[in-house]
Amino acid sequence: MTQTHMKREIAEIPAAVARLLGEGRPALDAAAKALADADPRLVITIARGSSDHAATFFKYACELSTGVPVASVGPSIASIYGVDLKLDRAAAIGISQSGKSPDIVSMLQSAARSGATAIAITNTPDSPLAEAADAVIDICAGEEQSVAATKTFVTSAVAGLAIVAGWSADKALLGALDALPEALENALSCDWSPLVEATANANSLYVLGRGPGAAIAHEAALKFKETSGLHAEAYSTAEVLHGPAAIVQKGFPVLALSATDKARSSILETSARLAGQGGSVFVTDPQPGAAIALPVARTGHPLTDPIALVVSFYGFIEALARHRGFNPDEPPHLRKVTSTL
């Protein structure tokens, strides 16, 4: 197979992030100011698929940085059931690559009618979703041809993080974002090929994370299913111990995503426990204990570390898909733009 669109688009991620943080800076600043001016007591997110995982990443970043709670709202509340929520003193963030899915658009329109400050994060700034918003962020990813979202996921997550950094006036996070494109170049070179060997003939596995890393775990689990025909479930390293750990036995693959934040010890403890049960546990940490270490590119900030992890993961999953005989650009039964009501 010639180089896949997915592989090329993964390589474009650092440049896309640099473009977002450069050309896209005025829009990011405007969205951050809109939130600061609104001073919301609650933020809701509206998204599906990979965009919903970017929304979950935003949730953790927002709650940790501002103390404002964030809740994911089911788009069907507006699109099917026709209910407008009570959203005065709230903000609503809709995330969609295409900005066209009727349910996402309908829910953001409903939120705006209900008094929420509405923000759209999209790769299509002239889309219906953008028209429904008070502030629009073009994620500047450029065309993405592979059905599996990579650079649009990363730029959506970075856009949310940049909004939080501006809203909270977090100088350390703003500095980490400025340095992020270079760190992502380093993340591209991380070799996770031992994990390819461990999952080449697997039928099922777990992906674990905690806090912001849990959002990345959910994105990774989706990509295992979407590109490689491999059933994967994502759990926090706490939740997996409440039942799911029972099926981890000899050779069962586990990928644990560890960043340099307060959850690191929890992740390493759970990894050690599952390795002790016989699991084939891989962890993104240079001190893996009983697990197997995967190389990582650290970014100097706990909220940008997970972004580098997902870039390294994408390089791995594209290689795994081809190794298992799949074309990651064209997963069976899927299309690039999914419209749901």
Side-chain angles (χ1 to χ4, degrees), residues 303-329:
L303 286 176
T304 48
D305 273 358
I307 302 294
L309 287 180
V310 80
V311 171
S312 298
F313 170 81
Y314 282 152
F316 149 76
I317 198 66
E318 189 275 341
L320 177 65
R322 290 185 289 102
H323 188 79
R324 287 172 64 96
F326 289 89
N327 178 357
D329 291 338

Side-chain angles (χ1 to χ4, degrees), residues 63-251:
E63 291 176 349
L64 290 169
S65 299
T66 71
V68 177
V70 180
S72 174
V73 172
S76 63
I77 294 298
S79 66
I80 290 181
Y81 297 103
V83 174
D84 288 333
L85 299 176
K86 298 176 182 179
L87 294 173
D88 52 301
R89 288 299 301 277
I93 298 182
I95 306 176
S96 169
Q97 302 163 41
S98 69
K100 296 176 182 177
S101 188
D103 51 352
I104 307 299
V105 174
S106 178
M107 188 66 232
L108 191 63
Q109 291 171 333
S110 170
R113 281 196 306 271
S114 298
T117 300
I119 296 173
I121 296 176
T122 180
N123 204 34
T124 315
D126 59 352
S127 62
L129 185 72
E131 292 173 4
D134 300 308
V136 179
I137 296 170
D138 178 356
I139 57 175
C140 303
E143 183 182 12
E144 190 173 64
Q145 292 180 269
S146 177
V147 169
T150 53
K151 62 178 179 173
T152 54
F153 170 81
V154 172
T155 48
S156 294
V158 171
L161 196 54
I163 293 172
V164 168
W167 176 14
S168 60
D170 186 330
K171 292 182 180 179
L173 182 53
L174 288 167
L177 284 166
D178 288 341
L180 186 57
E182 182 178 354
L184 298 185
E185 289 285 1
N186 294 333
L188 288 172
S189 64
C190 290
D191 180 9
W192 288 17
S193 56
L195 188 56
V196 172
E197 298 169 12
T199 54
N201 298 307
N203 295 314
S204 185
L205 81 156
Y206 287 161
V207 188
L208 308 180
R210 197 82 189 265
I216 305 305
H218 281 277
E219 169 63 8
L222 173 62
K223 288 297 186 285
F224 273 112
K225 293 186 280 267
E226 190 178 31
T227 69
S228 301
L230 179 50
H231 176 250
E233 293 188 68
Y235 291 103
S236 82
T237 47
E239 188 65 31
V240 75
L241 301 180
H242 289 262
I247 68 170
V248 177
Q249 300 176 18
K250 184 175 175 57

Side-chain angles (χ1 to χ4, degrees), residues 24-69:
R25 175 59 61 186
L28 293 170
D29 290 344
K33 184 178 186 302
L35 288 175
D37 290 346
D39 190 23
R41 303 295 88 187
L42 168 73
V43 179
I44 67 167
T45 60
I46 308 158
R48 293 202 187 277
S50 287
S51 294
D52 198 34
H53 303 149
T56 302
F57 185 76
F58 171 85
K59 167 189 169 66
Y60 281 105
C62 181
E63 291 176 349
L64 290 169
S65 299
T66 71
V68 177

